[in-house]
Amino acid sequence: MLPVWKPAEPASATPNTAYRRLGMIRYTATATAPRIENGSLALDLPMSASPATGFDEIWPATGEVESGELGGVYYAHDKNTVLCAAYVPYQDEYRRPVFNAYSRAFDVLEQLGYPTIFRMWNSIGEINGNNHQGLEVYRDFCLGRALAFDEQALDVTQAPAATGIGARERGVWFYLLATSRQGVTNIENPVQISAYSYPDRYGPRAPQFARASFLPGSAQEEAGTIYVSGTASIRGHQSVNIGDLEAQVHTSMENIAGLVSPENLLKHGVPGTFGLAAIRSSKVYVRHDADLPKVRDLLGGYLPAGADVAYFPVDICRSDLLVEIEAIMQPVGP
Ligand SMILES: C=C(O[C@@H]1C=C(C(=O)O)C=C[C@H]1O)C(=O)O
């Protein structure tokens, strides 16, 4: 299942509902809370320096779409997939409201019958700032999320692929994709400690996510899809190449290449030939605006010419990370 990326529709424009959609996530300069518009989900994320550098990420639907809101969690689903989103306003401590929002989202998935999340995105304002107790906001967020996963009694290896990244406004926004289908496979990277196993030097609870998730194809869409989590210059559990932007770009891309190598996919039982050539879209998060041109230039040597690529000047989950890259892939061969 691939998103359709389109230049941001002018706010005044009549939403293009020419084709069925679960929803539209607008990567733009200012945020809105999630909502239902024309029967599908809409959410504006504060991720771009200006609306002109943003874009609309549209998640297509097959067949009839049902949408609504339950306990502050907005959703839209077809028979295979649900897109959900929620917003947590700025708090001087996030663990409890993040726990509540995640917990309500899990309850909605169970109620609607889409138990398996295969991708999540979390935009976290002031991610490297401290809460009122001096705990980094990201670590506070991870604590609340982990408590929500605990409540679901989900084995940590079932946590989906995810991105946890800075936002350009205060607050926490998350959206997720879940399926009613079987066969989702989480993929881990042999050169990285699984995030859910990080030592406690990184916070009171480890981040709950997989390095990637594989969603098998369906009758309508032959190819399976790999959703690669935000990936940075981390080996084992340690940040590496501190202060070296170019080396962080190379290590991040080498991590992704190893993650979707034939050997690693075989080990996880994921069919198809992937590799970096299989990248269909990629979001690139760059801490310093001034680094964007160099990152764009460096990635030119990795990303396929036909891939959709978007760059966002936002903070990253660890203050020593300068760049982070995620991707969505479909096989380039059997
Ligand atoms: C870059 C890393 O983590 C980031 C944070 C994530 C989260 O907390 O959900 C997921 C992937 C990345 O966006 C990492 O730990 O390797």
Side-chain angles (χ1 to χ4, degrees):
M1 178 185 189
L2 293 175
V4 174
W5 285 12
K6 294 176 68 63
E9 292 168 349
S12 57
T14 306
N16 171 1
T17 55
Y19 46 82
R20 292 181 192 283
R21 62 176 68 173
L22 296 176
M24 179 182 80
I25 311 296
R26 172 161 289 171
Y27 281 74
T28 186
T30 52
T32 65
R35 60 202 181 277
I36 300 299
E37 257 178 13
N38 300 302
S40 67
L41 190 147
L43 170 65
D44 294 15
L45 291 177
M47 302 294 286
S48 295
S50 79
T53 55
F55 70 103
D56 292 343
E57 179 181 81
I58 296 168
W59 291 97
T62 49
E64 289 305 308
V65 175
E66 292 185 34
S67 59
E69 176 268 338
L70 287 167
V73 176
Y74 291 78
Y75 66 85
H77 67 81
D78 60 19
K79 62 184 182 303
N80 291 322
T81 310
V82 64
L83 175 65
C84 284
Y87 165 58
V88 177
Y90 168 73
Q91 311 280 326
D92 60 14
E93 185 176 281
Y94 276 113
R95 68 199 65 176
R96 173 58 55 185
V98 165
F99 164 81
N100 290 335
Y102 257 73
S103 184
R104 283 196 299 269
F106 292 152
D107 291 346
V108 168
L109 296 181
E110 187 176 348
Q111 192 171 325
L112 295 176
Y114 298 82
T116 308
I117 305 172
F118 56 90
R119 190 58 165 98
M120 291 199 75
W121 284 268
N122 305 276
S123 295
I124 305 164
E126 299 179 336
I127 190 170
N128 301 134
N130 289 336
N131 74 7
H132 71 131
Q133 291 178 324
L135 179 68
E136 185 185 47
V137 166
Y138 175 59
R139 300 180 182 206
D140 193 8
F141 163 83
C142 286
L143 175 53
R145 172 174 56 178
L147 292 172
F149 273 97
D150 292 350
E151 187 190 58
Q152 296 301 310
L154 266 180
D155 184 274
V156 284
T157 61
Q158 291 176 287
T163 294
I165 198 75
R168 298 173 68 91
E169 287 181 16
R170 278 177 156 187
V172 174
W173 297 259
F174 67 82
Y175 68 100
L176 65 87
L177 292 161
T179 181
S180 55
R181 300 207 303 260
Q182 302 297 314
V184 172
T185 304
N186 286 342
I187 307 167
E188 293 302 318
N189 193 327
V191 298
Q192 296 188 303
I193 297 287
S194 296
Y196 46 75
S197 299
Y198 282 164
D200 58 13
R201 74 180 73 171
Y202 300 103
R205 290 296 301 271
Q208 309 280 305
F209 69 92
R211 296 296 176 187
S213 294
F214 169 72
L215 177 73
S218 66
Q220 291 86 0
E221 184 184 77
E222 282 308 305
T225 308
I226 291 182
Y227 301 85
V228 177
S229 297
T231 304
S233 183
I234 292 177
R235 287 289 163 87
H237 58 75
Q238 293 178 306
S239 303
V240 294
N241 307 309
I242 307 305
D244 184 339
L245 174 71
E246 184 163 344
Q248 287 200 17
V249 171
H250 291 308
T251 299
S252 301
M253 290 310 297
E254 288 157 10
N255 285 344
I256 294 176
L259 182 70
V260 295
S261 66
E263 301 76 23
N264 199 46
L265 295 184
L266 182 64
K267 190 173 99 176
H268 288 82
V270 171
T273 303
F274 286 82
L276 296 181
I279 294 175
R280 304 291 295 274
S281 65
S282 178
K283 293 182 187 136
V284 182
Y285 306 100
V286 184
R287 181 177 293 278
H288 303 302
D289 298 32
D291 290 343
L292 272 163
K294 182 166 186 179
V295 171
R296 195 187 296 266
D297 182 53
L298 289 165
L299 289 179
Y302 289 100
L303 299 176
D308 287 327
V309 187
Y311 293 83
F312 304 100
V314 291
D315 290 337
I316 296 167
C317 66
R318 292 184 188 180
S319 52
D320 53 12
L321 294 175
L322 298 170
V323 61
E324 179 178 309
I325 300 147
E326 68 176 60
I328 301 178
M329 301 182 174
Q330 287 199 327
V332 292

